[in-house]
């Protein structure tokens, strides 16, 4: 479990760096009013390549009670936001009621995001992308943090800490990657 309260967010990171692979976690999001709370499951090398990092991520953007949940996917290659930037999708279930599987398939030529084995987004590498396709080894992360300034309806709704702590559960990890 990872949690967010008025003092701090939290997260964890893999011990290994990976160059391509299949990565999955079963995740259960915090329930009730979670506006502004961002839960992320992602790959990044920003701690190694600060100015030209790669990133592949799922971001859950918090929720207002009674509204449908939205998920955002991103890819960055070589620090560029020209390709793969922020696509948002509505979920067809409430991810705070039970665990659901979120997966990333990353190969040399494509990235596919899955929700419960259903592909929701595919990015194929093209020659025009050049270095904008993630191609450097990355670690796997999970984090929870305060994204009040942008996450829910463009920052219209922020975190209300009277509902804290916000707790996200992670289980059933699959890290089938080429460890570097």
């Amino acid at each position: 479990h990872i949690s967010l309260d008025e003092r701090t967010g939290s997260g964890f990171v893999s011990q290994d760096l990976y160059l391509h692979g299949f990565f999955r976690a079963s995740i259960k999001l915090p329930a009730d009013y979670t506006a502004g709370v961002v839960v992320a499951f992602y790959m990044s090398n920003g701690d190694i390549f600060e100015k030209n990092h790669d990133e592949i991520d799922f971001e859950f953007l918090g929720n207002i009670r009674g509204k449908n949940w939205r998920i955002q996917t991103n890819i960055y290659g070589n620090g560029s936001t020209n390709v793969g930037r922020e696509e948002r999708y509505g979920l067809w279930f409430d991810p705070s009621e039970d665990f659901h599987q979120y997966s990333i398939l990353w190969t040399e030529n494509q990235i596919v995001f899955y929700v419960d084995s259903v592909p929701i987004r595919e990015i194929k590498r093209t020659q025009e992308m050049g270095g904008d396709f993630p191609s450097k080894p990355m670690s796997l992360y999970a984090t929870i943090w305060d994204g009040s300034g942008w996450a829910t309806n463009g920052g219209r709704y922020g975190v209300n800490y009277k509902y804290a702590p916000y707790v996200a559960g992670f289980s059933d990890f699959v890290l089938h990657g080429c460890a570097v």
Side-chain angles (χ1 to χ4, degrees):
H1 291 92
I2 57 177
S3 65
L4 169 69
D5 62 26
E6 335 35 58
R7 293 179 308 277
T8 187
S10 61
F12 56 86
V13 61
S14 64
Q15 291 181 334
D16 291 323
L17 290 165
Y18 298 94
L19 183 60
H20 308 126
F22 180 78
F23 308 92
R24 181 178 68 213
S26 291
I27 304 170
K28 183 177 180 186
L29 297 179
D32 208 0
Y33 182 91
T34 59
V37 176
V38 177
V39 176
F41 175 64
Y42 64 104
M43 303 190 74
S44 178
N45 52 27
D47 55 338
I48 299 168
F49 302 99
E50 291 181 27
K51 300 207 188 272
N52 61 341
H53 81 288
D54 297 336
E55 191 170 311
I56 303 170
D57 49 86
F58 277 111
E59 293 174 326
F60 303 92
L61 303 180
N63 198 34
I64 301 164
R65 208 178 292 119
K67 300 287 184 185
N68 290 332
W69 278 83
R70 300 196 28 100
I71 190 170
Q72 176 171 287
T73 61
N74 296 307
I75 70 158
Y76 302 107
N78 210 29
S80 173
T81 59
N82 293 330
V83 176
R85 181 139 173 100
E86 299 172 352
E87 285 192 12
R88 294 181 180 178
Y89 305 91
L91 292 175
W92 53 95
F93 54 85
D94 182 343
S96 68
E97 290 180 351
D98 203 354
F99 283 87
H100 291 269
Q101 293 180 342
Y102 303 91
S103 309
I104 298 167
L105 173 65
W106 172 38
T107 72
E108 184 178 348
N109 294 309
Q110 75 174 5
I111 297 166
V112 183
F113 294 90
Y114 297 89
V115 176
D116 289 335
S117 300
V118 175
I120 63 165
R121 184 178 184 193
E122 177 182 26
I123 297 103
K124 291 187 178 185
R125 181 182 211 151
T126 64
Q127 194 169 20
E128 294 79 31
M129 287 180 187
D132 291 352
F133 190 86
S135 58
K136 296 185 290 291
M138 293 188 271
S139 298
L140 185 71
Y141 292 83
T143 56
I144 186 169
W145 46 280
D146 186 330
S148 291
W150 66 274
T152 308
N153 290 14
R156 189 170 160 205
Y157 301 97
V159 175
N160 184 337
Y161 286 104
K162 81 176 186 178
Y163 297 103
Y166 296 98
V167 178
F170 287 78
S171 68
D172 302 323
F173 291 97
V174 174
L175 286 80
H176 288 303
C178 302
V180 176

